[in-house]
Amino acid sequence: MKLGFRVSSSVQLGLVCTLLATAHARAQDPAPAPAPQAAEPVVNPPPAQDPSAPPPITPPVATPPVEAPPPEPPVTPPPPAPPVEEPAADDLGPLNLAVWARADLGLSTTSSSAPGNFPSGDSPDDVYSTGEFWLLSSAKVHKYVRLTANFASSYNNGSTGGGGITSSLSLLDGIIQLEPSEFFNVWIGRHLVPVDRSNFSGPFFMAPWYYPGFGFADGQVAAPREGPYGRNDGATVWGQFGGGLFKYYVGAFDLHDPSQSPLISGRVSLHLLNPEPGFYGSSTFFGKDLLGIGLGFQSKKDGSGGSAVTLPDGTVVPAPTPDDYTGFNVDVLFEKDLGAAGVLDLEGAFYTFNGDNERTESMWFALASYILPVDVAGGKLQPLLRVQQAMPQADGADTSTLIDAQVSYIVNSYATRFTAGFRTGSAGDAEVQALFLGAQVQK
């Protein structure tokens, strides 16, 4: 049996008419209105909550994780310092060389034989000259060791025990200097005898032209035990504190002759206002605030002696019996830089010499000098006055007085200076007078 479904033609026609009518109606509708702009959202209040209901659970707000700071880089300790090596010989500094010279001319009217800088004479035409020429060298040979070798030649100078036109070069200083610290040092060899400021200064580093203690009219030599040029063979222990505010020295000398007792010589000094560092010293600084006070001592067993004397008639007077020698001294130096007003120097010293055979019992000197503030052709003028007196030990002997008056023209401190002066002295009937001109240079 065949089943089928068939739509009649009338029904088909009705469906088509219905579809056409619907399409025509849609084409006649107006265009839709544009969409309105978005409005602020309206927040409705939360609905009333039932008090009996449990509170709502608010979920926790997630916080961003906190990042840990990066770890500190590991601290690396600095590498250990390399070991200190002794410097090579080439790193110890150069060999220092210097040349110093002093020379003078004098016009003497000496009425008696006076050792020192006064040859005998009684006429104004007695002209004389003395001079000293030094060659100095030093070098550091180890971290704590220095070497000094100095040589000197002089003429007509009592420092060499003779002199003259045939004078030859001789050893002035020969020192091995062990210097581990400023507090303790040892010098071995020929060097200055530590006892007073004058010997540390020497003629090159003092304002007066002539060294004190020499040139008295009666021939006294009123100076501590020293040696040629103030040097002697021995050893000295010395040191300083506060960079030179306080210094000490003690030494043994006369070691060139083992048959005699050593000469013990020492000194302590205090330097106020400013320190005075180093082994040596000066008696003028041409402009420094300084107040220096020093004490010195010397001692030698059987050191006060003498030698046999032959009288004009041939009689020989035997040498006196030796006696122990001791000596003490004190010295003061005050220097004040007055700025635009100049430089003032005041210095004084007192000595005693103890022993049965000592000719001089005591001696003193005092001086004043002043550097004028006026510039004179690139230099300065320094007038000076010094008075010395030597008191002999013999009963009834006359005190010997010696006065120096001079003017120095200072061009370059110690290195270049010129001096003109007059000195006069007397001891009883003996007298000395002299005019002198001197020049000093250092290079």
Side-chain angles (χ1 to χ4, degrees):
M1 180 167 72
K2 184 175 179 181
L3 297 177
F5 179 81
R6 187 172 181 181
V7 180
S8 65
S9 58
S10 59
V11 174
Q12 293 177 353
L13 180 60
L15 291 172
V16 172
C17 292
T18 303
L19 293 173
L20 292 173
T22 303
H24 177 74
R26 288 180 178 174
Q28 297 298 318
D29 291 340
Q37 295 293 327
E40 292 292 331
V42 177
V43 179
N44 295 323
Q49 186 176 359
D50 186 358
S52 62
I57 299 175
T58 304
V61 179
T63 57
V66 179
E67 295 183 1
E72 293 289 338
V75 178
T76 303
V84 178
E85 298 180 358
E86 294 294 334
D90 294 341
D91 298 331
L92 294 174
L95 175 66
N96 300 309
L97 294 175
V99 178
W100 298 355
R102 286 166 53 90
D104 58 37
L105 293 172
L107 178 65
S108 172
T109 58
T110 305
S111 61
S112 65
S113 179
N117 301 109
F118 289 117
S120 178
D122 55 8
S123 172
D125 62 359
D126 291 324
V127 181
Y128 66 95
S129 175
T130 69
E132 296 185 28
F133 298 85
W134 294 6
L135 175 63
L136 304 99
S137 65
S138 65
K140 193 171 187 178
V141 299
H142 181 270
K143 183 178 180 181
Y144 301 125
V145 182
R146 292 188 65 87
L147 170 66
T148 295
N150 301 330
F151 303 89
S153 182
S154 63
Y155 58 88
N156 294 340
N157 190 318
S159 297
T160 60
I165 198 168
T166 60
S167 179
S168 60
L169 194 68
S170 61
L171 181 66
L172 177 70
D173 297 291
I175 320 168
I176 297 176
Q177 300 157 237
L178 309 177
E179 301 178 339
S181 76
E182 68 170 345
F183 311 114
F184 181 84
N185 306 281
V186 181
W187 285 20
I188 303 172
R190 180 172 297 179
H191 57 283
L192 284 173
V193 177
V195 60
D196 63 346
R197 178 175 289 274
S198 293
N199 202 36
F200 279 133
S201 304
F204 284 94
F205 296 94
M206 60 173 54
W209 183 254
Y210 292 118
Y211 194 88
F214 295 84
F216 289 104
D218 58 0
Q220 290 190 73
V221 177
R225 298 286 198 276
E226 294 166 358
Y229 299 102
R231 274 75 173 171
N232 205 316
D233 301 339
T236 297
V237 174
W238 72 279
Q240 63 182 16
F241 297 87
L245 290 175
F246 175 80
K247 298 195 287 188
Y248 73 91
Y249 309 80
V250 60
F253 297 91
D254 284 345
L255 303 188
H256 56 278
D257 186 356
S259 66
Q260 59 177 294
S261 300
L263 169 68
I264 306 300
S265 186
R267 174 178 171 83
V268 294
S269 58
L270 180 65
H271 310 89
L272 305 176
L273 304 182
N274 275 302
E276 190 178 359
F279 181 90
Y280 300 102
S282 295
S283 294
T284 183
F285 295 89
F286 303 114
K288 179 178 180 178
D289 292 343
L290 180 76
L291 175 59
I293 304 170
L295 299 173
F297 73 94
Q298 289 188 324
S299 176
K300 182 179 176 68
K301 183 176 176 58
D302 296 333
S304 180
S307 57
V309 177
T310 302
L311 300 178
D313 60 2
T315 303
V316 177
V317 179
T321 302
D323 187 32
D324 294 343
Y325 162 78
T326 58
F328 299 92
N329 62 272
V330 57
D331 51 75
V332 178
L333 171 66
F334 174 72
E335 179 167 300
K336 181 63 177 177
D337 186 353
L338 303 174
V343 179
L344 173 67
D345 270 271
L346 301 173
E347 184 182 4
F350 178 79
Y351 303 80
T352 63
F353 310 99
N354 306 303
D356 289 345
N357 303 304
E358 295 303 303
R359 181 173 182 181
T360 303
E361 181 177 27
S362 61
M363 192 274 284
W364 64 268
F365 74 80
L367 71 82
S369 69
Y370 182 69
I371 298 178
L372 301 176
V374 181
D375 185 276
V376 180
K380 297 291 181 65
L381 297 177
Q382 183 187 40
L384 177 146
L385 179 67
R386 181 179 66 182
V387 179
Q388 303 180 73
Q389 278 196 330
M391 283 66 74
Q393 183 171 250
D395 293 337
D398 295 307
T399 296
S400 187
T401 302
L402 187 59
I403 300 174
D404 295 81
Q406 67 178 51
V407 176
S408 293
Y409 177 54
I410 303 167
V411 179
N412 184 19
S413 66
Y414 314 106
T416 310
R417 60 173 173 162
F418 305 91
T419 300
F422 171 76
R423 66 184 338 200
T424 179
S426 64
D429 294 333
E431 295 182 353
V432 291
Q433 292 88 29
L435 295 170
F436 61 89
L437 298 172
Q440 173 177 307
V441 293
Q442 295 178 329
K443 180 62 176 179

